[in-house]
Amino acid sequence: MTGEEISKAVEKIAVQIINKNKNIKDLVFIGIVTRGVHLATRIINEIKKLKKLGLPLGMLDITFYRDDVDSIGKQPLAKETKIDFDINDKKVILVDDVLFTGRSIRAALDEIMDFGRPNSVELVVLIDRGHRELPVYAEYVGKTVKTNYSDKVHVHLKEIDKTDRVVLVSKKSSR
Amino acid sequence: MRLKNKDLLGLEYLSKEEIELILKTAVPFKELFTRSIKKVPTLRGKTVVLLFYEPSTRTRISFELAAKRLSADTVNISASGSSVEKGESLIDTGKTLEAMKADFVVIRHSMSGASHVLARNINPSVINAGDGSHEHPTQGLLDIFTINEKKGTVKGLKVVIIGDIAHSRVARSNIWGLTKLGAEVVVCGPSTLIPRDIEKTGAKVCYNLDFALKNADVVNVLRIQLERQKTKRLPSLREYNLLFGMTKEKLKLAKPDVIIMHPGPMNRGIEITSNVADGAQSVIDEQVTNGIAVRMAVLYLLAGGKSSPES
């Protein structure tokens, strides 16, 4: 996926969100760190261009809500979680870069519920690569990609990775 | 990066990188305290046993809250009212807890090295919560975390530790940790309460408070341990207060932005006056808050990758 395709996908998602939500003022965005936050920022900016309306953005680090804390290996360093608005009775748009097993989203949903009781939560992802292990569904998808389970999908965003692109890295098939 | 050992026994045995990892990990845990739900499910299903052979309020409660905010279960054992009174040995008690499938044992004991004995003999992670006059690593870590938070760095700072260095596990953990991170540590107190070989740890010694306080960035006032003064190392508490008590006037000798710390519990009017303890430069209450975050970080880091060989 090229930088241009990413921009197109962000525009498409912004339009879909506007069309689907009459009361756009009730929306709040929560991005999953790190890249979900940058994607959410872009979508919010796109909506601002189209509707002249700023929407709140929170960031969510799901490290403490993961289900594999004591699996052998290093512990990831948690980053900042910052949701400085009330999410009660709001419509939360949750944003992540890649949707895979659905476990991150499960963790994110648990954490969001600890902040309050939103009216509803909808999911935005740039890439849906399949292989769901939990019943998780993304309402807004930039691109659906067929992958093998062992593949890696790397999302690079200008804000932190200098360029905009998505690459699919296939493990050399071991047959 | 992760901690090398299954246990946390002292800052002497940690590398600079490991100390920095714990400090960094504690930051997002502290952020949790600002939420209305301060609890995360990270250590759900884990059991933390608090084995306290010596009295303690803040350390025990701090560990208990740290474990509970990570959703672990906690069990309290104190020496009185348990089989310790019947003469059970430390190792046997540890083996019993291991058989009950405890994941962590937090131990406070009056004998230096008790946590090491336990750690060598059982599989659960052992965390030293103070062993005799040896080490109190999580107190050292929370002190360093507080300094780092207030000053932005530890490197190059002058930290003065005042009081009963001989009996103080807090002082020893602070010295090991702070010198590893590049601070200048000066210990100050009556010569009877300063061990002769303390300079081997990297600390400097000063017997005159006025001189020690010059250019100090941090002053850590230790508690005069009244329960350990039976050997008459002090002529009188009044004399100690006159020579080493931290007062508003003495504080003026340090840097204007000096911070005042105390591990608690305080003997107000002996080692520290109330107007210093409650003054604008005091960070004593924040030390208590930070203690929970640091202990959460330690439990979290020890829970991962446990007992796995280098691979």
Side-chain angles (χ1 to χ4, degrees):
Chain A
M1 210 172 176
T2 63
E4 203 176 319
E5 286 173 290
I6 293 177
S7 305
K8 283 260 165 63
V10 168
E11 278 169 39
K12 180 186 83 181
I13 290 168
V15 171
Q16 284 174 347
I17 291 173
I18 293 169
N19 289 342
K20 188 155 181 276
N21 297 283
K22 296 248 154 52
N23 291 325
I24 199 146
K25 279 192 206 113
D26 288 341
L27 295 185
V28 296
F29 280 76
I30 295 179
I32 298 180
V33 292
T34 312
R35 286 171 185 78
V37 178
H38 295 304
L39 284 171
T41 308
R42 292 186 188 192
I43 295 168
I44 288 173
N45 287 338
E46 203 59 45
I47 292 175
K48 201 182 213 164
K49 259 195 264 169
L50 298 168
K51 297 294 270 186
K52 313 270 174 269
L53 178 77
L55 291 170
L57 168 67
M59 51 175 105
L60 194 69
D61 184 294
I62 56 163
T63 307
F64 301 141
Y65 286 74
R66 292 183 323 151
D67 54 10
D68 54 355
V69 166
D70 55 358
S71 63
I72 305 258
K74 65 170 194 173
Q75 295 288 63
L77 207 57
K79 300 191 185 74
E80 194 184 16
T81 292
K82 197 172 164 208
I83 299 176
D84 45 15
F85 45 82
D86 185 12
I87 65 167
N88 281 303
D89 300 324
K90 296 282 190 203
K91 181 159 184 180
V92 173
I93 306 286
L94 181 62
V95 185
D96 202 2
D97 51 356
V98 180
L99 179 56
F100 183 25
T101 60
R103 287 179 192 269
S104 304
I105 303 303
R106 192 284 305 164
L109 288 173
D110 276 359
E111 186 158 12
I112 288 172
M113 298 310 157
D114 278 355
F115 276 91
R117 186 181 188 281
N119 219 337
S120 66
V121 181
E122 281 183 344
L123 178 61
V124 173
V125 294
L126 184 61
I127 306 289
D128 179 355
R129 58 166 293 190
H131 302 286
R132 216 75 79 239
E133 291 167 4
L134 295 172
V136 171
Y137 167 72
E139 186 74 33
Y140 313 98
V141 179
K143 189 175 184 182
T144 307
V145 184
K146 257 205 141 81
T147 62
N148 291 319
Y149 192 88
S150 59
D151 292 346
K152 294 254 187 303
V153 175
H154 294 295
V155 174
H156 299 271
L157 295 178
K158 246 186 268 164
E159 290 88 335
I160 38 175
D161 309 301
K162 289 187 189 136
T163 59
D164 267 0
R165 71 194 165 117
V166 181
V167 270
L168 175 70
V169 183
S170 295
K171 275 240 177 89
K172 287 225 176 73
S173 59
S174 49
R175 263 187 307 150
Chain B
M1 177 80 207
R2 63 161 189 256
L3 300 182
K4 278 202 290 290
N5 293 314
K6 77 170 174 71
D7 313 298
L8 177 69
L9 304 178
L11 297 194
E12 183 182 355
Y13 321 106
L14 291 185
S15 68
K16 177 179 175 238
E17 289 72 29
E18 286 176 301
I19 294 173
E20 284 169 345
L21 174 68
I22 297 171
L23 300 179
K24 244 189 260 170
T25 307
V27 175
F29 283 117
K30 190 175 179 188
E31 182 269 322
L32 285 181
F33 304 164
T34 62
R35 304 187 191 175
S36 58
I37 295 181
K38 298 173 183 59
K39 190 169 171 151
V40 289
T42 319
L43 294 188
R44 206 157 38 121
K46 302 276 178 210
T47 306
V48 179
V49 175
L50 306 164
L51 179 60
F52 276 66
Y53 287 87
E54 266 190 345
S56 161
T57 318
R58 76 198 63 220
T59 304
R60 190 175 55 72
I61 292 178
S62 181
F63 266 111
E64 186 160 358
L65 283 175
K68 287 192 161 145
R69 286 182 186 172
L70 289 166
S71 299
D73 298 308
T74 58
V75 179
N76 272 292
I77 306 173
S78 55
S80 60
S82 67
S83 51
V84 174
E85 272 191 338
K86 299 178 190 162
E88 185 174 62
S89 78
L90 175 59
I91 293 174
D92 283 344
T93 303
K95 290 275 185 204
T96 306
L97 298 175
E98 181 180 73
M100 290 175 175
K101 308 297 177 201
D103 298 288
F104 297 90
V105 178
V106 178
I107 178 175
R108 151 91 40 115
H109 200 285
S110 57
M111 303 283 273
S112 301
S115 58
H116 290 248
V117 172
L118 192 64
R120 270 201 303 276
N121 284 284
I122 64 171
N123 278 323
S125 287
V126 174
I127 299 174
N128 182 3
D131 58 337
S133 45
H134 175 229
E135 279 226 43
H136 189 351
T138 55
Q139 178 73 43
L141 287 166
L142 78 89
D143 289 345
I144 297 169
F145 181 89
T146 308
I147 295 170
N148 199 33
E149 194 179 52
K150 290 284 157 194
K151 299 285 181 187
T153 179
V154 173
K155 203 174 172 183
L157 296 184
K158 181 178 177 182
V159 181
V160 184
I161 305 175
I162 305 168
D164 182 353
I165 309 296
H167 293 114
S168 177
R169 49 199 175 207
V170 176
R172 253 165 282 267
S173 286
N174 262 280
I175 294 168
W176 287 119
L178 287 166
T179 50
K180 277 178 189 177
L181 296 184
E184 177 195 2
V185 182
V186 177
V187 296
C188 179
S191 58
T192 48
L193 293 177
I194 298 209
R196 217 174 300 157
D197 54 354
I198 194 74
E199 280 172 325
K200 284 185 189 154
T201 62
K204 293 175 189 147
V205 178
C206 183
Y207 298 105
N208 180 307
L209 184 60
D210 290 9
F211 194 72
L213 287 174
K214 221 172 138 191
N215 277 324
D217 297 285
V218 178
V219 174
N220 200 343
V221 183
L222 301 177
R223 180 173 68 92
I224 279 294
Q225 307 189 38
L226 298 168
E227 71 276 20
R228 297 195 220 263
Q229 296 307 331
K230 292 182 186 104
T231 49
K232 296 279 181 281
R233 296 198 192 202
L234 287 176
S236 76
L237 288 176
R238 188 174 138 74
E239 183 181 309
Y240 180 84
N241 172 251
L242 285 173
L243 290 173
F244 296 101
M246 202 62 213
T247 63
K248 214 132 205 175
E249 289 66 45
K250 295 273 186 199
L251 202 55
K252 287 182 188 138
L253 300 168
K255 282 195 184 161
D257 63 344
V258 67
I259 55 170
I260 293 285
M261 306 174 62
H262 192 298
M266 288 185 274
N267 300 303
R268 286 172 185 264
I270 300 177
E271 71 259 8
I272 191 164
T273 60
S274 279
N275 58 7
V276 173
D278 307 327
Q281 276 149 305
S282 164
V283 295
I284 296 170
D285 290 339
E286 267 167 88
Q287 285 176 270
V288 178
T289 308
N290 292 341
I292 302 175
V294 165
R295 287 172 179 122
M296 287 172 84
V298 168
L299 288 168
Y300 171 69
L301 289 169
L302 290 178
K306 196 187 298 181
S307 69
S308 63
E310 289 303 309
S311 56

